Amino acid sequence: MARNERDAATAAPDAFSGGNKRDTPPFEVTAKVALADNQLRRNLGKATQAIRDKREAAAGEMPDWEELREAGSAIKTRVMRHLDEYLVQLEDSVRRAGGTVHWARDAEEANGIVAGIARENIGEEGTREVVKVKSIATDEIKLNEHLEKEGIHAAETDLAELIIQLAGEGSSHILVPAIHKNRAEIRELFMRELGLGDLSDEPEVLAEAARIYLRRKFLSAKVGVSGANFAVAETGTVCVVESEGNGRMCTTLPDTLVTVMGIEKIIPEWRDFEVFMQTLPRSSTAERMNPYTSFWTGVSEDDGPREFHLVLLDNGRTEVLADEIGRQSLNCIRCSACLNSCPVYDRVGGHAYNSVYPGPIGAILTPQLAGIGSSPGADSLPYASSLCGACYEVCPVKINIPEVLIHLRGKVVRNKQDNGGAKAKLDPENVAMQTLAKTFSDPRLYEASQRAALVGQWPLARSGAIHSLPGRLAGWTSARDLAPVPEQSFRRWWREERGGAER
């Protein structure tokens, strides 16, 4: 039962699903489904605990770890402050190196650009297929679905991405998209979808099966599609960081390479890699050095693709940039350390967030990129947190996620009050908060309410505490006791002691 409900939940449109995104269910609905899946919780708990422990050890080896975090934060903050200048510089650098730069305001434009390049280079005969290295930006714009409508199959080549593509599921983790599946589930999937005979669930055997399947695709593909971890404004160099070598295959073997990159992925200078090549591997996979780090600058006569296209994707990012508090979300380098440290994510997994960006960073990126008020799912995400601050403590670029979460909660409420109509204005919680705001801002009303509460609490206060509130107020006492209103308030004590006018 729980598995069927989970499948239905993952099939629901996510916050970036174009015209269907208004049907995205809120976090509290899908989280309940995830919490009922014991296998999912076991898989997640084991995986996140292991990654969390390794990351802590890897970061602890660095005596200047905090200085590196400060440096990373400073670089990204500088990028956001001068993003317009760095983007123009990057465009000039890429063109000088023989590449072509495309600007995409939204998902529709980006998908159209990539599909046009693919059609032109694949032709009408043979296998109409492109190979892809893991790219969250292309997941955000639903590139695979768009290409399928054009009759072009996008073959995912990252092992975890291949697993969820074969399973028809979405990603549940930024770094480990199939973290919700165990080896036995993957074995059954490979046997069913790849037509393989008896297969063991040993990691080496599963990896070998995927390797043989993917190698044929690498050697026949004419177009490769990638995302980007970084792009250097001064040189036009694009960088992809991955662990399996599939990214190197995708970016070097096809004749044409298309990279879709969010405009925030820029770093100003080559030497900035000194910071991020130390913090990113340790924060993501807990490795001292990343296994495969690919750099390319335009095209070369005798090496790699003959054509290189860089698609610079906005898709709501300039709106985020305009928000002084929210813009720090764009500093994210997609390490996923915040996911592995989050007690909420640890229990519900990524599908509960209904977004390609799950976890704490997804809770602040998704509503901003998709737009406040765009769907119940996106609006619910700022509340998908205990505000414990663990995400802030591990972030390698020091994004203050709790601060942004609180800021976004305010924007969600304000949007509901401004645009929700009479129903939203008459919502009991909204009415209660409006009443409290007026009461707290008026001393006479405040004292009158204290006197009323002192009388009204009489049937509820027992042994110096209120253990249970009635009706819709019951949630306030479901996990804790409330202190009763005291017989003597501070203001009354002040008047009695000092005798003068209070201020």
Side-chain angles (χ1 to χ4, degrees), residues 166-180:
L166 291 174
E169 298 176 357
S171 171
S172 63
H173 191 280
I174 289 176
L175 186 68
V176 196
I179 195 171
H180 56 288

Side-chain angles (χ1 to χ4, degrees), residues 134-444:
K134 184 172 68 177
S135 161
I136 308 179
T138 59
D139 292 342
E140 175 189 323
I141 62 176
K142 310 300 176 195
L143 176 63
N144 289 12
E145 290 86 338
H146 183 85
L147 290 177
E148 287 293 344
K149 291 177 183 174
E150 299 273 344
I152 301 169
H153 176 64
E156 296 289 353
T157 63
D158 176 89
L159 177 56
E161 287 284 344
L162 172 65
I163 291 168
I164 60 173
Q165 186 177 45
L166 291 174
E169 298 176 357
S171 171
S172 63
H173 191 280
I174 289 176
L175 186 68
V176 196
I179 195 171
H180 56 288
K181 288 191 173 298
N182 61 27
R183 289 187 295 171
E185 291 174 312
I186 296 168
R187 169 183 173 271
E188 291 176 12
L189 178 70
F190 277 11
M191 290 174 62
R192 185 177 68 247
E193 298 297 328
L194 301 184
L196 301 176
D198 192 23
L199 203 66
S200 84
D201 63 357
E202 291 300 315
E204 296 81 4
V205 174
L206 297 174
E208 178 66 11
R211 190 178 296 118
I212 293 171
Y213 171 76
L214 291 172
R215 189 148 296 174
R216 291 192 293 270
K217 295 185 177 295
F218 287 131
L219 294 174
S220 62
K222 294 179 180 177
V223 176
V225 178
S226 83
N229 289 93
F230 305 99
V232 186
E234 72 170 352
T235 64
T237 304
V238 180
C239 170
V240 163
V241 179
E242 40 100 14
S243 299
E244 300 168 10
N246 63 302
R248 184 73 53 83
M249 298 278 199
C250 283
T251 57
T252 56
L253 291 178
D255 289 334
T256 301
L257 172 61
V258 186
T259 297
V260 180
M261 186 190 93
I263 56 175
E264 79 279 17
K265 295 294 187 69
I266 286 183
I267 56 175
E269 302 172 85
W270 179 268
R271 66 178 183 179
D272 294 329
F273 280 121
E274 177 186 358
V275 174
F276 297 115
M277 288 299 109
Q278 294 185 79
T279 54
L280 179 56
R282 282 181 165 81
S283 298
S284 55
T285 54
E287 293 169 299
R288 293 168 179 153
M289 181 180 290
N290 197 67
Y292 291 92
T293 304
S294 300
F295 301 97
W296 65 94
T297 307
V299 293
S300 301
E301 185 66 26
D302 301 318
D303 187 24
R306 300 292 177 266
E307 286 185 28
F308 169 55
H309 298 265
L310 177 62
V311 181
L312 294 172
L313 175 68
D314 186 327
N315 207 32
R317 286 161 174 78
T318 51
E319 294 293 328
V320 182
L321 192 65
D323 188 322
E324 290 187 6
I325 296 175
R327 74 172 57 142
Q328 58 185 303
S329 314
L330 298 177
N331 293 355
C332 177
I333 58 174
R334 309 289 192 265
C335 71
S336 73
C338 62
L339 277 70
N340 303 324
S341 302
C342 176
V344 177
Y345 177 88
D346 185 66
R347 285 156 180 79
V348 301
H351 290 151
Y353 292 81
N354 299 301
S355 169
V356 297
Y357 300 105
I361 189 63
I364 60 173
L365 260 181
T366 303
Q368 292 188 91
L369 291 177
I372 299 291
S374 64
S375 73
D379 282 1
S380 70
L381 292 181
Y383 298 91
S385 170
S386 65
L387 299 178
C388 69
C391 48
Y392 183 31
E393 292 178 6
V394 298
C395 178
V397 288
K398 304 192 74 168
I399 300 172
N400 192 337
I401 293 177
E403 179 188 36
V404 182
L405 284 168
I406 293 171
H407 172 64
L408 293 178
R409 289 180 185 185
K411 293 185 76 170
V412 169
V413 171
R414 178 60 63 195
N415 177 71
K416 199 179 291 184
Q417 291 172 338
D418 291 345
N419 303 309
K423 185 179 178 182
K425 287 182 171 59
L426 296 175
D427 179 76
E429 182 179 1
N430 182 41
V431 172
M433 290 300 169
Q434 297 278 3
T435 304
L436 285 173
K438 286 183 180 177
T439 303
F440 287 171
S441 62
D442 186 325
R444 287 178 299 176

